[in-house]
């Protein structure tokens, strides 16, 4: 019933920045966390970051620590992913997800998924 819509993907040169958005059609009591995953060509889906909507706690994958920042806007029921210092290896389809906790998000135990948005980083 809940729909997640990602936006903000595109093509950027290495070292550049992009800001992804994920808008949820509605908030449920069980969906207390949201996060981002990515999947590059010929690779498995990879966890990127999760945020607890209840208190703002976050958990980042080591590969993006210090470069990516997740944030939320409760009024708009939207989470964002600010991506700085992008590298060619960041190229992937980025997916937004919602779940019950940041731990479940990290373990891909998600209740809802977005359709994905393409991020391409050129060298």
């Amino acid at each position: 019933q809940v729909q997640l819509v990602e936006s903000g993907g595109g093509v950027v040169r290495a070292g550049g920045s992009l800001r992804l958005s994920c808008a949820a059609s509605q908030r449920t009591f069980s969906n207390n966390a949201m996060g981002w995953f990515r999947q590059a060509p010929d690779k498995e889906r990879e966890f990127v970051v999760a945020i607890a909507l209840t208190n703002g706690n976050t958990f980042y994958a080591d590969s993006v620590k210090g470069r990516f920042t997740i944030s939320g806007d409760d009024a708009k029921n939207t989470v964002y992913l600010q991506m700085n210092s992008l590298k060619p290896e960041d190229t992937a389809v980025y997916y937004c997800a919602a779940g019950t906790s940041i731990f479940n998000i990290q373990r891909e135990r998600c209740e809802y998924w977005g359709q994905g948005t393409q991020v391409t980083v050129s060298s």
Side-chain angles (χ1 to χ4, degrees), residues 12-28:
V12 65
R13 297 181 65 178
S17 299
L18 283 175
R19 188 190 189 216
L20 306 183
S21 299
C22 176
S25 61
Q26 63 186 64
R27 171 84 175 273
T28 68

Side-chain angles (χ1 to χ4, degrees), residues 8-116:
V11 181
V12 65
R13 297 181 65 178
S17 299
L18 283 175
R19 188 190 189 216
L20 306 183
S21 299
C22 176
S25 61
Q26 63 186 64
R27 171 84 175 273
T28 68
F29 289 109
S30 61
N31 293 325
N32 294 316
M34 297 181 70
W36 293 90
F37 294 80
R38 64 187 183 185
Q39 187 167 21
D42 301 321
K43 292 186 177 180
E44 296 182 350
R45 187 168 57 197
E46 174 190 16
F47 168 78
V48 178
V49 63
I51 183 170
L53 303 179
T54 53
N55 55 21
N57 286 347
T58 58
F59 183 81
Y60 292 85
D62 289 340
S63 60
V64 304
K65 285 182 179 178
R67 299 189 300 120
F68 291 10
T69 303
I70 190 170
S71 61
D73 186 334
D74 291 338
K76 297 181 178 180
N77 214 19
T78 301
V79 295
Y80 305 93
L81 183 64
Q82 179 66 44
M83 305 185 295
N84 299 325
S85 301
L86 283 164
K87 306 174 182 179
E89 51 263 44
D90 294 319
T91 295
V93 176
Y94 283 70
Y95 297 92
C96 179
T100 59
S101 71
I102 59 174
F103 303 104
N104 283 332
I105 295 289
Q106 184 228 332
R107 296 161 183 166
E108 300 190 27
R109 298 172 183 173
C110 307
E111 297 182 0
Y112 301 98
W113 292 87
Q115 80 288 347

